Amino acid sequence: MNIRMVEAVNQISLQALVDLSTRELQRHRSKAPFDDRYCLEILRRAIVEQTDEAWSALQHCFSETIRGWLRSHPSSDVALLRDSEENYIAQTFSRFWYAVRDQHLEFSMLYAALSYLHATLNGIITDTLRSHLRLRSREVSLPEPGCSEELSGEAPLESQSFWESIRFLLPDERERRLAYLLYYCGLKPRDIVMRCPGEFDDVKDIYRLNHNIVERLRRNRDRLCHVLGYAE
């Protein structure tokens, strides 16, 4: 974008930018060619000028995009049992705001900003599911690598019953082990690779297995709702 074009976009009113950005994002979602100048200008004003009006405009433009990501997420069915779409969207913008403020992030391409927002939403969904499973099953100590017993004999009966119900939905032994480490113990993928050498090849192996876990739980949504204590 040349200087003259930048100056021209800078002169556009915020409301006009919102209208133009909404139109271009609709084209983007339909895979049609689009102009990202207006979205980037709203993003610039929100980050640099830090006005409430610019931030509200940013939320208005990107909310539907985030909503679409949330609905297409592999764990959306379960995640939406824990919180509403509006709260997930609000949390995504909140984390995004703190990140760009504290890390002084700048985006010269719309793709980069959207990728960051998408990753932020995915992180919130993962944290929400992990937190809920940990609260439901309570904290337990992490077994040593290679230990055949997943739970100690001192674990509360309620925790054992809950975990056994989750295990029942995961017939594959490696998937059960990974689900325990990820969601029961709350470990990050890189922590698992470091603490359990030989059990998982690398972080990509963990992501692949976790995808299988999520798909199995989705296919058993009714059973999972019953386990988590939700009424249909």
Side-chain angles (χ1 to χ4, degrees), residues 3-44:
I3 296 177
R4 183 170 298 178
M5 292 176 64
V6 170
E7 292 177 347
V9 173
N10 288 348
Q11 299 302 313
I12 299 176
S13 69
L14 191 57
Q15 183 56 56
L17 283 173
V18 169
D19 295 338
L20 291 167
S21 296
T22 300
R23 182 196 66 190
E24 294 304 320
L25 283 172
Q26 289 174 345
R27 292 172 60 82
H28 172 62
R29 286 192 289 269
S30 64
K31 308 299 182 182
F34 70 102
D35 190 337
D36 66 358
R37 291 178 298 163
Y38 312 114
C39 295
L40 286 173
E41 175 60 17
I42 290 179
L43 188 63
R44 186 195 68 79

Side-chain angles (χ1 to χ4, degrees), residues 41-152:
E41 175 60 17
I42 290 179
L43 188 63
R44 186 195 68 79
R45 294 187 192 185
I47 294 174
V48 176
E49 298 178 6
Q50 298 187 12
T51 64
D52 291 341
E53 293 79 6
W55 189 246
S56 295
L58 181 70
Q59 292 178 321
H60 178 84
C61 289
F62 293 116
S63 287
E64 287 308 307
T65 298
I66 297 174
R67 193 187 309 278
W69 293 334
L70 174 59
R71 291 178 178 179
S72 63
H73 190 280
S75 300
S76 61
D77 290 347
V78 180
L80 289 173
L81 292 172
R82 288 291 299 149
D83 214 336
S84 67
E85 287 184 351
E86 297 307 322
N87 282 342
Y88 279 112
I89 293 171
Q91 289 182 62
T92 299
F93 281 119
S94 178
R95 284 198 188 183
F96 180 77
W97 165 247
Y98 284 113
V100 297
R101 185 196 66 178
D102 297 341
Q103 301 176 32
H104 305 290
L105 298 178
E106 295 182 4
F107 301 98
S108 59
M109 297 179 61
L110 181 60
Y111 172 80
L114 290 175
S115 296
Y116 200 96
L117 275 171
H118 199 171
T120 301
L121 172 65
N122 288 341
I124 291 170
I125 293 174
T126 298
D127 290 346
T128 299
L129 297 177
R130 180 184 292 121
S131 175
H132 178 62
L133 286 176
R134 291 177 69 187
L135 286 174
R136 291 284 301 184
S137 58
R138 303 180 186 179
E139 290 289 346
V140 295
S141 58
L142 177 66
E144 292 298 321
C147 177
S148 61
E149 287 296 323
E150 297 277 292
L151 293 171
S152 68

Side-chain angles (χ1 to χ4, degrees), residues 178-232:
L178 180 60
Y180 174 76
L181 296 172
L182 277 174
Y183 299 109
Y184 198 87
C185 300
L187 292 179
K188 303 290 186 181
R190 292 190 182 280
D191 296 331
I192 294 174
V193 172
M194 293 177 62
R195 297 193 61 167
C196 305
E199 293 191 60
F200 304 97
D201 297 336
D202 50 29
V203 171
K204 290 183 180 179
D205 187 30
I206 289 177
Y207 286 143
R208 179 183 61 80
L209 287 172
N210 187 46
H211 176 77
N212 294 342
I213 291 169
V214 169
E215 286 302 311
R216 288 188 192 281
L217 295 180
R218 286 192 70 193
R219 289 195 296 269
N220 292 276
R221 180 175 180 272
D222 293 342
R223 171 63 176 162
L224 183 60
C225 289
H226 174 74
V227 169
L228 297 179
Y230 293 102
E232 287 296 318

